[in-house]
Amino acid sequence: MVAEKTIILSAEQEAQLRQPIDEYVGNIQEKLNELRENGTSKAMDIQAALETLKRDKIYTAQEKAKRKEELQAALKEAKAVESQNKAEVSALVAEAEKYLKEHFAKDYYNAVAASCKAETAIAKEKYAAAVAELKKEHEASLAKLKDANEIKDEKYVHKNRLFDAKMQRDKELQQIKDRRHAAYAHKYHLIDLLRISRFTPVQSVAQRWENYRFTFNRRSFLLRNGLYIAIIIIFIGLCIITPIVKGPNVQLLTLNNILNILQQASPRMFLALGVAGLILLAGTDLSIGRMVGMGMTAATIVMHNGPNTGSVFGHVFDFSTMPVLARVLLALIVCIVLCTVFTTIAGFFTARFKMHPFISTMANMLVIFGLVTYSTKGVSFGAIDTTIPSMIIPRIGKFPTIILWAIAAVVIVWFIWNKTTFGKNLYAVGGNPEAASVSGISVFKVTVGAFVMAGILYGFGSWLECIRMVGSGSAAYGQGWEMDAIAACVVGGISFTGGIGKISGVVVGVFIFTALTYALTTLGIDTNLQFVFSGIIILVAVMLDCLKYVQKK
């Protein structure tokens, strides 16, 4: 074999190694094409023709119906042929894949990979030799020069030559990397033809892994995931330190603690999902915490058993005459309506007058806190009916079902972001509002829509938190929660530059922040110091986000 005579393969030698594989699989491919000609291939063509017929406006309804009937009859015949040849097609595909498994790596890919490895070593040695030679020439040139300007020019020229040498090395390394990747991908090109792009799960995973290896960049990876890695390391450190400080009986990574973290994170998930849409529009929301306080107060008033311990503008409410389920639903509606009204107001001012969300939501924050505190005199409204938590968020064994509410919210918001026109418009407006407007997207409607969706999620979140805490509604509840929600989004990769972010990132961000807060509390770290940790994390997260933006630009 050619590969045994030399490690470095030329393009001709590589093609020579690949030729027997291509010929063997090619012969099987010809047989498959013959078997599929009147079966699978014909069926695919007919299905494409049926799809085209649906959109075709040339034919009359009667002509369309006749043509559709003809195509469906032909499709039925093609499917019958496909079914008849299915066993033979499967056997041929299995034979080709078995041959590839036995021969592709042994007779071709391993030799190419070894050649690429040797070429990489040579390219690095060549670069090292070039750098050494340039250094030698630079030192010789400097020895002859005495004028400061000439020395400065020589250093500048040397720096440029080093850069050119580095660029040449990177170019050669990339070409070698491309060659190895192309050799690996050739196997799946053959399988793609054999299977008509219907890869098995194992084949799909193998291709994704190879593509990840091929496109992997250490700097980009650290920019995207550096903060996650740092937080995970800190959390692992806290898990090690906690038993030492608090005693061997206090462990962080227990099932009970994990469930507690998920339980605490569930209401906060609603808040983070709400503000994520606003950050996606390059905005924010400073009123989240006050909306939680308002929602908690309203929900406690409605779900309280008996006359309330406090009054609203001097009036004491008593909803105990209503059925429990009716009170629960009324409390949810009140929370959603109140939060949505205020977010819509902020959204209107932001969209209509191009006001920065920082200002409109800060105004909301002040108005909400002032109204709730003035109307209730700042008192706490006690607890809600104790039967409600077991009705809405019961525990199944040790499992808190409040987590299922958060999962439902994540699924719904993911669907809105990724599968609806509004979601696509949200990304478009966040990325470039001017371009979105030119393309026919209503920036006003999208902006107000994002605020409305945020209000609905805030209402749900405050209602759920009220049930989790069995009431205790007051205007002061939720103070600082806006920072946690915003920080969770930023840590999760929702960019303040707009138009960048995923729901999965929000979920990860909420869990990371909740877990870190829980760990610090368990360790006995003062609450005020926890704000320091949060501030540092936010600062680093935004710094990394800005670095990614600068790199992209």
Side-chain angles (χ1 to χ4, degrees):
M1 298 292 289
V2 179
E4 294 173 354
K5 296 178 182 177
T6 178
I7 294 176
I8 306 297
L9 297 175
S10 65
E12 292 77 14
Q13 289 172 323
E14 184 180 332
Q16 188 180 342
L17 286 176
R18 194 173 61 229
Q19 186 178 356
I21 297 170
D22 288 345
E23 286 178 354
Y24 187 92
V25 177
N27 289 333
I28 292 176
Q29 186 65 53
E30 287 178 7
K31 295 176 185 177
L32 287 171
N33 290 341
E34 290 175 8
L35 289 169
R36 287 169 173 162
E37 185 177 357
N38 294 316
T40 305
S41 299
K42 190 175 180 180
M44 291 170 69
D45 291 339
I46 294 169
Q47 285 169 340
L50 282 167
E51 288 298 318
T52 303
L53 186 65
K54 288 179 184 177
R55 300 187 296 270
D56 204 327
K57 296 181 180 179
I58 297 174
Y59 297 105
T60 63
Q62 195 173 13
E63 288 173 333
K64 263 191 179 183
K66 184 181 178 182
R67 178 62 179 156
K68 184 179 179 181
E69 189 178 337
E70 291 172 355
L71 288 172
Q72 285 177 337
L75 180 62
K76 189 177 180 181
E77 290 177 11
K79 290 280 186 183
V81 174
E82 181 183 32
S83 180
Q84 184 182 343
N85 296 333
K86 187 176 181 181
E88 193 175 351
V89 167
S90 298
L92 286 170
V93 171
E95 181 189 343
E97 288 186 339
K98 182 182 177 184
Y99 178 85
L100 286 170
K101 187 176 180 181
E102 292 174 354
H103 294 274
F104 188 83
K106 182 180 72 174
D107 298 345
Y108 170 63
Y109 178 70
N110 289 345
V112 176
S115 174
C116 290
K117 188 176 180 181
E119 288 178 70
T120 300
I122 290 170
K124 289 179 179 178
E125 288 173 7
K126 182 181 172 184
Y127 172 69
V131 169
E133 182 63 27
L134 287 171
K135 186 178 179 182
K136 185 178 177 182
E137 291 176 4
H138 177 59
E139 289 173 350
S141 298
L142 286 177
K144 298 175 184 176
L145 300 173
K146 293 182 180 179
D147 183 72
N149 288 329
E150 290 180 348
I151 291 171
K152 184 179 178 181
D153 290 342
E154 171 58 29
K155 287 181 178 179
Y156 180 75
V157 169
H158 176 65
K159 185 178 178 182
N160 284 341
R161 286 174 177 170
L162 287 174
F163 178 78
D164 290 342
K166 183 176 180 294
M167 291 296 292
Q168 181 62 31
R169 180 204 63 180
D170 291 346
K171 180 182 176 182
E172 291 175 5
L173 290 177
Q174 187 60 47
Q175 288 173 343
I176 296 165
K177 191 177 177 182
D178 291 344
R179 183 180 174 188
R180 187 205 63 79
H181 177 69
Y184 183 91
H186 186 70
K187 176 183 177 181
Y188 291 95
H189 168 66
L190 296 175
I191 294 173
D192 182 29
L193 296 174
L194 291 168
R195 287 185 163 272
I196 323 177
S197 301
R198 297 168 184 168
F199 295 108
T200 65
V202 174
Q203 290 166 350
S204 298
V205 169
Q207 288 182 87
R208 281 198 292 268
W209 172 245
E210 168 60 23
N211 290 334
Y212 177 77
R213 284 180 59 202
F214 178 65
T215 58
F216 179 79
N217 180 279
R218 188 182 301 166
R219 186 170 184 269
S220 297
F221 176 81
L222 290 174
L223 277 176
R224 286 196 309 270
N225 304 297
L227 187 62
Y228 293 153
I229 295 168
I231 291 174
I232 289 168
I233 292 170
I234 291 169
F235 188 73
I236 292 170
L238 290 172
C239 290
I240 296 169
I241 292 168
T242 300
I244 298 171
V245 175
K246 293 292 182 179
N249 294 328
V250 182
Q251 300 286 338
L252 273 179
L253 287 179
T254 63
L255 178 61
N256 190 49
N257 283 344
I258 291 169
L259 290 175
N260 283 338
I261 290 168
L262 293 174
Q263 187 176 359
Q264 288 184 17
S266 295
R268 295 169 185 262
M269 188 69 71
F270 285 82
L271 309 180
L273 290 170
V275 77
L278 306 183
I279 297 175
L280 202 66
L281 293 176
T284 188
D285 192 343
L286 300 181
S287 64
I288 298 172
R290 297 311 182 188
M291 289 207 190
V292 170
M294 176 178 65
M296 283 278 289
T297 302
T300 302
I301 290 170
V302 175
M303 293 189 287
H304 185 73
N305 194 13
N308 287 134
T309 54
S311 62
V312 180
F313 291 113
H315 181 76
V316 177
F317 288 93
D318 183 4
F319 293 91
S320 59
T321 55
M322 294 176 64
V324 175
L325 186 58
R327 278 188 281 153
V328 170
L329 292 174
L330 178 60
L332 174 60
I333 292 167
V334 170
C335 286
I336 290 174
V337 169
L338 285 173
C339 291
T340 305
V341 165
F342 281 102
T343 55
T344 304
I345 292 169
F348 174 79
F349 278 93
T350 300
R352 178 69 180 82
F353 301 105
K354 308 300 179 186
M355 188 181 293
H356 197 282
F358 183 94
I359 301 300
S360 58
T361 59
M362 182 176 66
N364 252 358
M365 174 183 72
L366 297 172
V367 170
I368 291 168
F369 184 67
L371 278 176
V372 177
T373 306
Y374 177 74
S375 62
T376 64
K377 306 302 180 187
V379 301
S380 174
F381 282 77
I384 63 173
D385 193 320
T386 53
T387 61
I388 291 174
S390 58
M391 180 193 303
I392 305 301
I393 51 170
R395 278 183 173 269
I396 301 174
K398 289 186 176 181
F399 181 76
T401 55
I402 190 173
I403 297 169
L404 300 178
W405 288 87
I407 292 171
V410 169
V411 171
I412 291 168
V413 177
W414 178 89
F415 181 83
I416 292 171
W417 277 30
N418 296 281
K419 299 297 179 181
T420 66
T421 303
F422 173 75
K424 292 171 185 175
N425 291 346
L426 198 65
Y427 278 100
V429 173
N432 191 327
E434 289 80 13
S437 180
V438 170
S439 64
I441 297 171
S442 173
V443 176
F444 178 86
K445 288 181 180 178
V446 171
T447 304
V448 174
F451 274 92
V452 169
M453 187 168 73
I456 294 169
L457 289 164
Y458 298 160
F460 256 105
S462 58
W463 172 78
L464 207 59
E465 178 67 9
C466 180
I467 295 174
R468 186 182 78 86
M469 295 300 293
V470 199
S472 302
S474 70
Y477 197 95
Q479 183 178 0
W481 279 37
E482 61 278 353
M483 293 300 103
D484 290 346
I486 293 167
C489 292
V490 175
V491 169
I494 307 295
S495 176
F496 268 108
T497 57
I500 300 170
K502 295 180 180 179
I503 293 297
S504 57
V506 179
V507 174
V508 171
V510 171
F511 286 153
I512 283 176
F513 243 85
T514 309
L516 192 61
T517 303
Y518 190 89
L520 293 172
T521 304
T522 303
L523 196 58
I525 302 297
D526 189 274
T527 307
N528 297 311
L529 285 177
Q530 290 182 28
F531 284 118
V532 176
F533 280 99
S534 299
I536 292 170
I537 290 171
I538 293 169
L539 191 65
V540 174
V542 175
M543 178 194 71
L544 291 173
D545 181 50
C546 292
L547 283 175
K548 284 187 283 186
Y549 178 72
V550 169
Q551 186 185 40
K552 183 180 176 183
K553 292 291 282 183

